[in-house]
Amino acid sequence: MSDEINIFLTGATGYVGGAVLERLLKHPDCSRFRITAIVRSTEKADKLRKLGINVVVGSHSDADIVIENAAKADVVFTAADCDDMGAAQAILDGLKKRFENTGKQPILIHTVQQFSLCRCHKPYRCEVGTLTDRALGAFTYDKIYDDTDADQIETLPDTADHRNVDLLLVKADKDGYVKTYIILPSTIYGIATGHLVSLGIQNPHSKQVPRLIQLGKARGQAGVCGEGKNTWPHVHIDDIADLYITLYDAIVASSPAPGHGREGYYFGENGHYLAYDLAKAVAVELAARGVGSSTPTSFTEEEFSKNPRLGYFGTNSRCKASRGRALGWMPKYGDEDFYASIRAEVDVQFKD
Ligand SMILES: NC(=O)c1ccc[n+]([C@@H]2O[C@H](COP(=O)([O-])OP(=O)(O)OC[C@H]3O[C@@H](n4cnc5c(N)ncnc54)[C@H](OP(=O)(O)O)[C@@H]3O)[C@@H](O)[C@H]2O)c1
């Protein structure tokens, strides 16, 4: 890698991508970074330029723009839409050009939603959306995916959610023109803070927990999918953002070289929560603000028929983040922080 390190970033205005960018701007090697971000908002583009970021205004569906910028990159971080096959292909096409022009394998650190690890209840996965709330949230699994076990990860069916993009990346790595690293955060929680949030560039909010709170507020009672016996891992936004940097630093240091390709899955997890316990914590906070009781109620058949995505809250995803820890990643926030974060998230929903 030459002295200047060209970094191309997607999702810079987002919850995850903004937190990664915040850290890149504070990185000890920052003076060597030439960071390019692709951003849709012209207003945010102007703000980012003032921070020294080279900004391309456009969407990931502008394949030519994505290819052109990936072709100039030594390192690409993606933190946008993990299901966007077109964007993933365009990035790989650009990185292939980069390899052909330089003879050096560029680095792709890609973000995916950990839902691909879920052992969902079949009706939720069913494309016609035939749901029954009787079984959703009715059980958890003993099987815990460990990111050091590539054989175990390969037992996931190719048709599992998000796998299509994962597999594209793993194949590209195998083809030899790029080194791919896939970060799979779990339920990311916590309200992001920092310079990019203060400047109104970065979305400070996650999705899963805020959605559950919004649903509870709208139905007048915190809800849970079935009995809420399903389990998910959690990770704080600051910890997951640190994982990207720990991984990047380890790749650059290259001794020992972190796994890539089929060995390049990095889970983000620092504990697991039971769906009922999350729903209960939400119920307590909503009840304290006069919304319902402190005991969550199960989503009804009628609610499922109106909103099949509710089944998401009844899925399982269990994992062990061994690879990141082996590289020195030390997440600071645990189970207590996860539950303690709910109050501030509920406050946000009652702010206006
Ligand atoms: N939040 C979580 O708990 C969580 C957990 C696991 C995995 N993830 C994954 O992490 C990734 C980022 O999630 P997030 O929570 O950071 O979401 P987010 O806050 O909504 O950010 C998404 C970012 O991607 C950009 N983007 C999306 N589609 C685009 C397109 N077609 N063209 C240009 N820009 C586009 C958005 O730009 P705009 O600002 O213009 O909208 C925004 O910067 C996703 O793949 C998600 O599945 C998130």
Side-chain angles (χ1 to χ4, degrees):
M1 223 174 260
S2 68
D3 262 353
E4 188 170 72
I5 301 170
N6 290 301
I7 295 177
F8 181 46
L9 170 68
T10 70
T13 56
Y15 179 61
V16 177
V20 173
L21 179 57
E22 181 89 24
R23 278 154 182 75
L24 289 174
L25 291 171
K26 291 180 184 153
H27 193 279
D29 289 343
C30 183
S31 60
R32 294 173 61 204
F33 294 165
R34 181 174 160 75
I35 304 175
T36 301
I38 179 164
V39 168
R40 292 190 279 206
S41 151
T42 49
E43 192 196 330
K44 291 187 178 184
D46 288 342
K47 290 182 182 177
L48 282 165
R49 285 192 189 104
K50 287 185 185 140
L51 298 176
I53 314 287
N54 178 39
V55 184
V56 185
V57 176
S59 150
H60 302 154
S61 26
D62 303 323
D64 292 349
I65 298 179
V66 176
I67 293 171
E68 184 188 332
N69 285 283
K72 294 179 198 157
D74 301 302
V75 185
V76 174
F77 288 90
T78 74
D81 176 356
C82 62
D83 293 320
D84 191 337
M85 273 290 263
Q89 187 60 62
I91 286 168
L92 289 174
D93 289 348
L95 291 175
K96 194 170 192 180
K97 285 190 181 188
R98 181 75 179 170
F99 176 68
E100 287 162 0
N101 291 337
T102 64
K104 290 180 191 159
Q105 288 167 296
I107 292 159
L108 172 55
I109 301 179
H110 173 74
T111 308
V112 76
Q113 170 61 270
Q114 200 167 82
F115 195 44
S116 53
L117 296 179
C118 291
R119 303 285 300 273
C120 312
H121 181 61
K122 212 166 173 203
Y124 177 58
R125 294 180 56 82
C126 172
E127 288 196 351
V128 292
T130 47
L131 286 169
T132 60
D133 64 346
R134 262 176 300 128
L136 294 165
F139 49 84
T140 192
Y141 286 93
D142 292 334
K143 186 170 181 176
I144 298 179
Y145 288 84
D146 187 319
D147 54 10
T148 53
D149 190 344
D151 291 340
Q152 185 194 32
I153 292 172
E154 285 179 352
T155 62
L156 286 164
D158 292 0
T159 51
D161 291 318
H162 319 302
R163 274 299 269 168
N164 52 354
V165 177
D166 295 8
L167 294 171
L168 192 70
L169 265 60
V170 171
K171 180 179 180 305
D173 183 282
K174 199 174 173 194
D175 290 346
Y177 62 86
V178 60
K179 285 189 178 168
T180 65
Y181 305 83
I182 299 176
I183 295 191
L184 303 95
S186 41
T187 297
I188 311 177
Y189 71 94
I191 299 168
T193 54
H195 202 41
L196 297 178
V197 172
S198 309
L199 291 171
I201 296 171
Q202 180 191 352
N203 163 30
H205 301 295
S206 190
K207 303 224 165 16
Q208 275 168 278
V209 173
R211 266 185 206 144
L212 195 64
I213 295 167
Q214 286 155 10
L215 279 165
K217 194 180 170 198
R219 71 199 284 274
Q221 173 63 62
V224 63
C225 194
E227 297 168 82
K229 288 182 175 170
N230 53 304
T231 313
W232 262 75
H234 58 71
V235 66
H236 191 275
I237 182 65
D238 289 345
D239 285 333
I240 195 69
D242 287 346
L243 176 60
Y244 288 78
I245 304 303
T246 301
L247 175 58
Y248 168 79
D249 287 343
I251 296 166
V252 173
S254 190
S255 134
H260 58 95
R262 77 179 288 271
E263 301 279 350
Y265 288 88
Y266 295 81
F267 298 155
E269 150 278 321
N270 198 29
H272 286 75
Y273 65 91
L274 197 63
Y276 183 84
D277 293 344
L278 169 60
K280 174 75 182 169
V282 169
V284 167
E285 292 301 331
L286 286 178
R289 290 159 183 80
V291 178
S293 81
S294 60
T295 303
T297 59
S298 300
F299 298 126
T300 63
E301 192 82 41
E302 194 187 343
E303 287 176 288
F304 276 112
S305 64
K306 283 186 188 151
N307 180 7
R309 297 289 300 169
L310 286 179
Y312 180 85
F313 293 105
T315 59
N316 287 283
S317 184
R318 306 195 68 189
C319 73
K320 203 168 162 201
S322 301
R323 276 191 195 278
R325 288 189 173 90
L327 298 177
W329 179 57
M330 287 189 287
K332 296 185 275 295
Y333 301 93
D335 292 345
E336 273 183 34
D337 301 295
F338 174 69
Y339 292 111
S341 73
I342 310 298
R343 181 165 298 168
E345 294 286 3
V346 174
D347 280 343
V348 169
Q349 304 298 332
F350 283 79
K351 221 169 48 185
D352 301 325

